Every structure is written in C-alpha cells, then in structure tokens.
Amino acid sequence: MTHILQIDGLTKRFHDWERFSPRAKTVLDGISFEVAPGEIFGFLGPNGAGKTTTIKILMGIIRPTSGTARIMGHDIVEQSQQVKQRIGFLPENPYFYDYLSVGEFLTFCAALFGITGRAAAATTDRLLELVGMRHAARLPLRKCSKGMLQRTGIAQSLVNDPDFLVWDEPVSGLDPIGRKEIKDLMLELKRQGKTVFFSSHILPDAETLCDRVGIIVGGRMHRVGTLPELLKDSVSWVEVVAEGLPAGFAPAGAKTELIAGQSIIRLDDAAGLDGALKAIMQAGGAIVSVNPQRENLESYFARQVRSAGNL
Ligand SMILES: Nc1ncnc2c1ncn2[C@@H]1O[C@H](COP(=O)(O)OP(=O)(O)OP(=O)(O)O)[C@@H](O)[C@H]1O
Ligand SMILES: [Mg+2]
C-alpha cells in the first residue's frame, strides 16, 4: 500500500427535489488525488466547493454517483470495520448529546471503541489535556462555547488512537491561540507517524503546516501539490524600503508609496534592483531594507478561484 487515501474520478450529483426538478446538480465532478502516509494534506476551497461532500463520501455517510475512493487500500463503499477503527473523524458540524458533560461524552466515545473502565478514564483524561479542556471536564456540552465544542470534537476523533485523521474544518470557531494549538497538535500527530487530511479556508494556517494541498473549486480539483510546487508560478517582487527621498520619487519600472515617512518601492522585476538602488542613493535616500516578496497561498488561491470562475 503506497497511499493512505486514493480518490479516483469521484463524482456526486444531487437531485434538486426542493424545486420539484429532477435535474441533477453536479457537486463533485470527477475529482482525483492521493494522500501519502505520514503527510499533512490540506483540502482547500471556497464555500460550496465540495469539501464536505467529499469527506462525507469518504466516511460512508453518502454514496458517490461514480468514481472510487480507497482508504488504506480498501474501497470506501465496502466500509470494513477494521479500517474504520483506524480512522478519526471530525465532522463539519458535530452533533453532541447536550446533557452529557465533556468528560462523559469522551468516555461514551471511548466505549464505542470498546475502551471501558480505567482505560476509558485514562483516555478521557489524556484527551482533555491534549485539547486544553481539562478545566471543562464537568461542563455540560450545551453550555460549551463554539470553540470548546470544536476542541471536544477533535478530542473525540482521537479516542481510538487512529492512524488517519479526517478533519472537516478543524480550526473553525477557534481563536488564534486555539488555532495555533490545533496546528501544533497536527504536527505532533505527524511526528507520531499519523496522516492528517483536513479541510480549511484558513489559508495562512495551511501554508505553514501542510506537506501538500489540494485546491477544489466548483467540484473540480484545481491543483494538487506541495506548496513550493504550487507557488512556483506565483507572483514575486522586490520591495525596497528607503528614507529621505524627495516626494514623488520612483526609480524606473517601480512604484513608490510613502508610508509613515518611509518610501516603499515595489519592483516587479528583480533585474531592475541594482539600477533602483543606485537611483535611490543618487537621490539622497538611505536604504532601510531590501525584501524579496512572494505571493502567499491566500492571494494565489484567490487568483485560482477567480480564474476557475472565468473558465
Ligand atoms: N444533500 C444535498 N443536496 C443538494 N445539494 C447539496 C447537498 N449537500 C451539499 N450540496 C451542495 O453541494 C455543494 C458543495 O457543498 P459542500 O458542503 O460539499 O461544500 P464545502 O466545500 O464543504 O463548503 P463550506 O466551505 O461552506 O463548508 C454546495 O453547492 C451545496 O449546496
Ligand atoms: Mg464544508
């Protein structure tokens, strides 16, 4: 087995019954990609792109119209119990039993995997600690905040010590500290040799975390690859920060903005850097810094979505 997840031509059509129309809406249009063991894979795409639909198919909640997907070499439609026991799933909108406390809920989830008694108590304690919810162990789930519920959802996905994590929007509803903690948790899981497949809109998080990302737009896989691969054809430029320049100064081929007394000079072509630096000094300016810049995943992604919309 080389891939932990292998998706091949996955297609899903929904019938639009609400409008009394038998016309099918194609929500996933033949998507294909793979996830290798031990990697963190970010499944990125705008609202309505088809991320949750894909994840629901992978988890056996809905069936594909056509195409196949294999988890750990097993076809997902067969849904072997053995494979399920090695998966941890965080749904997009987890439904909780309101009247259980966080601790009771985790103990209940442990029981579903046959973990009971002292082992269940130990598992619950470990998970509460892991997701920073020890203080809320006795709090009923109906009294938890959105972020607390999200942490509980992540904890329940780890109850069976799974090898493959499938998380639908794991950082949604979390504050910046919470996002950082979940990111660190993903890296820790990766260090333990586990594979993490997660969907997100929070691109800067994906940027410093993922081994590879897949961008899905309108039910089609737009790009799949490592971030350096994907950002290879991204836009780059050089930014020179200088002081003491006369108002309106701009070297040839550059744009200048004056911010807090400093000139921010943007050169779209790095070949013009030598000439620009000379021109700045000749004009009596002092160079503060020279910063090569590259388009980040966020703006790259926005461009991809725009160009997909124009297809
Ligand atoms: N049961 C359904 N019947 C009809 N259409 C559906 C159904 N479930 C999802 N869709 C449609 O499929 C498309 C993809 O939805 P999906 O939930 O997979 O998107 P997503 O990428 O997860 O979006 P988000 O980022 O908002 O969670 C949407 O247009 C949605 O309306
Ligand atoms: Mg979704």
Side-chain angles (χ1 to χ4, degrees):
M1 184 191 70
T2 50
H3 294 116
I4 203 147
L5 172 66
Q6 195 162 11
I7 296 182
D8 204 358
L10 209 62
T11 297
K12 179 69 185 173
R13 293 195 191 91
F14 284 113
H15 286 283
D16 200 354
W17 300 119
E18 277 166 28
R19 295 183 189 184
F20 302 104
S21 154
R23 266 227 326 257
K25 175 165 96 173
T26 303
V27 167
L28 288 181
D29 195 1
I31 65 166
S32 303
F33 63 95
E34 284 107 26
V35 175
E39 68 181 1
I40 300 180
F41 188 99
F43 191 36
L44 312 175
N47 291 135
K51 303 182 295 295
T52 298
T53 305
T54 306
I55 290 174
K56 280 183 179 169
I57 292 173
L58 297 180
M59 294 299 103
I61 296 166
I62 55 173
R63 295 215 161 203
T65 308
S66 62
T68 57
R70 299 175 88 77
I71 295 179
M72 298 170 194
H74 294 260
D75 196 298
I76 42 125
V77 176
E78 289 164 19
Q79 284 301 313
S80 115
Q81 192 81 1
Q82 247 179 333
V83 172
K84 274 188 172 173
Q85 288 201 338
R86 295 175 58 199
I87 300 173
F89 173 44
L90 170 73
E92 185 173 43
N93 297 306
Y95 171 83
F96 292 118
Y97 299 96
D98 274 358
Y99 287 88
L100 290 184
S101 70
V102 175
E104 285 166 343
F105 174 67
L106 293 177
T107 307
F108 167 73
C109 293
L112 294 177
F113 284 97
I115 307 164
T116 54
R118 268 192 210 163
T123 301
T124 300
D125 276 357
R126 182 176 60 82
L127 293 174
L128 286 169
E129 183 70 39
L130 194 66
V131 299
M133 289 285 285
R134 187 175 280 286
H135 65 286
R138 289 167 190 272
L139 192 69
L141 286 158
R142 67 178 191 283
K143 293 190 180 168
C144 284
S145 70
K146 189 168 174 353
M148 290 164 101
L149 287 177
Q150 191 70 8
R151 286 164 188 260
T152 307
I154 287 168
Q156 67 74 35
S157 78
L158 293 166
V159 82
N160 52 328
D161 192 23
D163 298 317
F164 182 38
L165 284 315
V166 179
W167 286 349
D168 198 354
E169 305 271 359
V171 291
S172 108
L174 295 179
D175 57 27
I177 294 170
R179 289 221 295 275
K180 166 85 171 64
E181 285 171 0
I182 298 306
K183 239 166 87 170
D184 289 346
L185 176 58
M186 286 198 227
L187 291 168
E188 174 55 29
L189 291 166
K190 179 185 149 111
R191 266 192 292 276
Q192 293 172 13
K194 300 176 189 301
T195 310
V196 185
F197 175 79
F198 75 101
S199 72
S200 184
H201 317 275
I202 314 273
L203 301 179
D205 286 353
E207 195 157 21
T208 51
L209 187 65
C210 297
D211 296 297
R212 289 192 312 135
V213 300
I215 297 178
I216 180 171
V217 183
R220 290 190 190 166
M221 236 27 217
H222 205 62
R223 296 289 295 272
V224 182
T226 65
L227 286 173
E229 269 166 22
L230 253 68
L231 294 174
K232 195 171 63 201
D233 59 353
S234 64
V235 179
S236 63
W237 66 93
V238 181
E239 186 187 85
V240 181
V241 181
E243 282 176 345
L245 285 169
F249 171 86
K255 277 181 249 146
T256 300
E257 250 184 286
L258 202 63
I259 299 173
Q262 290 191 322
S263 302
I264 317 292
I265 300 157
R266 177 182 162 134
L267 290 149
D268 286 332
D269 184 359
L273 182 60
D274 274 359
L277 294 179
K278 277 186 200 134
I280 292 165
M281 286 187 287
Q282 275 164 10
I287 290 153
V288 177
S289 61
V290 177
N291 315 306
Q293 304 274 341
R294 184 174 272 284
E295 183 181 35
N296 64 14
L297 193 55
E298 190 120 36
S299 66
Y300 174 80
F301 178 67
R303 248 180 344 110
Q304 298 286 313
V305 172
R306 270 199 304 273
S307 71
N310 292 338
L311 288 176

